[in-house]
Amino acid sequence: MRHILHTMAMLAAAALLAACGRTATMTEINIVPEPVFKVQKDGAYTLGGNPKVSTVGMGQNSPTVKYILQSLRSAHLHPSLVSSADDSDIEFLINDTINPEIGTEGYLLEVRNTGIRISANTEVGLFYGYQTLVQMLPPDVTKAVYRSVTLPECTVLDYPRFKWRGVHLDVCRHFFPVKFIKRYLDAMAAYKMNRFHWHLTDDHGWRLPSTKYPQLNTVGSWRVDRDDQPWGQADPPRDGERASYGGFYTADEIADVLQYAAARGIEVIPEVELPGHCSAVLAAYPQFACDDYRYQVAIGPYWPPKAILCAGNDSVLTFLFDVLDEVCDLFPSKYIHIGGDEAWKDNWKACPKCQRRIRNEHLAGEEQLQSWLVGQVQRHLAERGKTIVGWDEIMGLGEEGWSMTSAAAADNPFLGDDAVVMSWRGIQPGLAAARQGHRVVMCPTDYCYFDYYQADARYQPASIGGMVTLSKAYEFDPVPDGTPAAVARNVVGGQCNLWTEYINTPSHAEYMLLPRMLATSECLWSPRENKDWNRFRRKVEVQKDRFLAKGYAYCEGSFTPKFSARRVDDNTMNITISTEVPNTYIFYTTDLSTPTRQSLIYIGPVNLERGTHIKILPVYKDIERDSVYEFLIK
Ligand code: ACM
Ligand code: ZN
């Protein structure tokens, strides 16, 4: 009885809320990533607070159906499932006959004056169609209560340009809890990103559970806590100091993340770094090193990363196979990332066992020893039905002397053709790999490294360096102009990467990801000819409101002015100011006062005296951006 009364009270409260809620009329459809085709019509459809939902072709227990119902509820709607499409307000339909135009991830969304219909060949297609529908609702729908939302009649036909639309997260330099990983996956899914590259092992911590090698967790997952010091200035550990920062994910937590990701169309690709970036392994199992140095789980900058597994030691191979078997048991993904980047070979050069391996296997040197090792691992994983992914170093070209010529010439006999190459040192290594027939994921630092600054460093939290503004991220194209079709075919997509040396909280990670991930999403999903920076920048502003309504941290760095000065004469400089956001007004002062909208407005380059302080206020869509920016004219 108490239960019934409680339920009735809840229903009454819901009805009251629905009755009190606002109404909204959406006049424009702003979708990120931009769909292949969209057309808006004159009519409209009003979605009420209690939508009837039909899901033809999907079982009621399907994760997609559960997701959709849960998501509608989080928008303060009260959906009910009905069996007949004719009765429904929102119809989800798996096509009886495959629609070849939209493939396995595409969808057709139709808003008519009679209702909403999303059809697709697969559940993931319906999931993406639903994400598009969500973006047609008011941005604050998860916060405010709407009694009804009127949508414009429209048709959206959509499918992705690339299969691999990845987002990476380093959980080693800093450790992030499962709750945050889920928020990260939510952000990805909303923008149709479908591969989560989980960087789980590195010098600064081992984050996978291991039963065969328990010291990976008791030792390798923990380091001395220096989080109160800037990353670049961390004191080395003192003798006997307790290692208290870190942790690892349990098998149950990983299973939970996998299920959460799968319900959002996301494949999780775990990365186990080898043979370098392994201080955490060597701290736990020093016998796997070439030397008898006392390795520790690294703290702060660790460069060059000299820790390397001894490739001449058979027990290292056994260790790698065992650990990778554990990974295969934990992760259903077809792909396992085996790292391969930045493996300094100084220890191999000095190690009798590694040198013996080189002689016995008739290898050309230490670079080939890495290729040989990767080949062993690839063969082992192939027996488990897995395909390796590796950073572009796995092509066997080493750390130094990378060039197009050497890339073109190289043909690494140890690397099986099905290895997927992740091209981070520019786009050229990837093109070279694609020419050799490898599938390639492009993630060049210049466009895809979101640990880099996104605006003038003076106005940003400390970062590792570099600069990838939102507009730069938007220039990313995994297949540059002029790429021959046979090479382009092997480029399966791209990815943005978030290394976390300088990022130690979930909200900082969100701030670095957003909004840049939206640029990557549009670069990877939308047809090239549909890309339009001005339109994208306008749409981003709406998406910002969606993120803020859900409490995500978000960077406004796009509005940070760019400033340049050209000498006119000994006393005078010619000053140019811009922001990358079209239609931003720039107000400024030169008398040290704080600029307001009554200050001078910048309309073109101005001559100013050296020594002048210029203070700048950007205003966009009538909103003053919160910071005032300042430059000294030197
Ligand atoms: C990398 O950024 N070292 C792959
Ligand atoms: Zn060795």
Side-chain angles (χ1 to χ4, degrees), residues 151-168:
L151 305 175
E153 275 200 329
C154 62
T155 299
V156 179
L157 178 111
D158 204 10
Y159 50 86
R161 178 175 171 206
F162 291 105
K163 273 197 206 124
W164 188 299
R165 303 179 302 279
V167 182
H168 151 288

Side-chain angles (χ1 to χ4, degrees), residues 341-342 391 424 449 499:
D341 61 318
E342 299 174 328
W391 300 111
W424 69 283
Y449 267 44
W499 302 98

Side-chain angles (χ1 to χ4, degrees), residues 290 310-311 351 354:
C290 291
C310 178
C351 171
C354 286

